[in-house]
Amino acid sequence: MRYFKVLLFILVTSGCASTEKQEVNSSQASAENAMQHVYLSGVIAKFYCTNAKWPQSLNELSEYSTGNPTPIGSKIDWSVLNQNGVTFNVATDIYIRTPGNPETGIMSVSSTHKYPGCNGDSISINFQPVLGG
């Protein structure tokens, strides 16, 4: 019986450790998903201020970012943004949504990008991110 208790204790503590590690990994992945929207907001605002129009696709934005590199644009993971389930809609504003993954605990993130303030080299970013949106 004593060995059974030891075995049970080992199983419970290893199970808790596995769950904790998965939560940390999913939190980091969710944070990175959200940061992609922050990075995009800077590139979208710069695109608009340079061209006086919205980009019509993520591909157009990626090409612009490559041709006009910025420190914030270099952090964008374009492969993540080209996955299935990513939404990019252009109307008066730009709406972007990156899907989550319920199995891994990664939250979806959406953001709405409104017209930025363009004043020479000074750009005021105007966007609203939503976690789980």
Side-chain angles (χ1 to χ4, degrees):
M1 185 68 162
R2 188 176 97 190
Y3 294 111
F4 177 73
K5 289 180 182 178
V6 170
L7 178 62
L8 184 60
F9 175 76
I10 291 170
L11 288 173
V12 168
T13 56
S14 66
C16 290
S18 297
T19 302
E20 184 177 312
K21 185 174 182 177
Q22 182 180 3
E23 287 175 4
V24 168
N25 289 342
S26 65
S27 294
Q28 289 172 341
S30 293
E32 183 55 36
N33 194 7
M35 288 307 296
Q36 291 299 306
H37 288 257
V38 173
Y39 303 146
L40 278 170
S41 69
V43 176
I44 289 170
K46 185 176 178 191
F47 181 100
Y48 182 84
C49 289
T50 300
N51 299 298
K53 66 176 187 122
W54 291 127
Q56 296 302 300
S57 69
L58 283 170
N59 287 335
E60 183 179 14
L61 195 59
S62 173
E63 289 174 13
Y64 174 79
S65 180
T66 302
N68 300 282
T70 63
I72 208 165
S74 65
K75 297 178 182 182
I76 296 173
D77 187 346
W78 295 104
S79 63
V80 168
L81 297 169
N82 286 323
Q83 292 180 22
N84 288 337
V86 173
T87 303
F88 184 88
N89 290 329
V90 179
T92 304
D93 303 326
I94 291 181
Y95 173 80
I96 302 170
R97 182 179 183 279
T98 50
N101 186 337
E103 294 173 5
T104 60
I106 298 172
M107 295 175 64
S108 64
V109 180
S110 64
S111 57
T112 303
H113 304 260
K114 299 181 180 290
Y115 295 116
C118 307
N119 187 11
D121 288 340
S122 178
I123 298 173
S124 299
I125 297 170
N126 187 5
F127 90 108
Q128 179 181 8
V130 176
L131 298 175

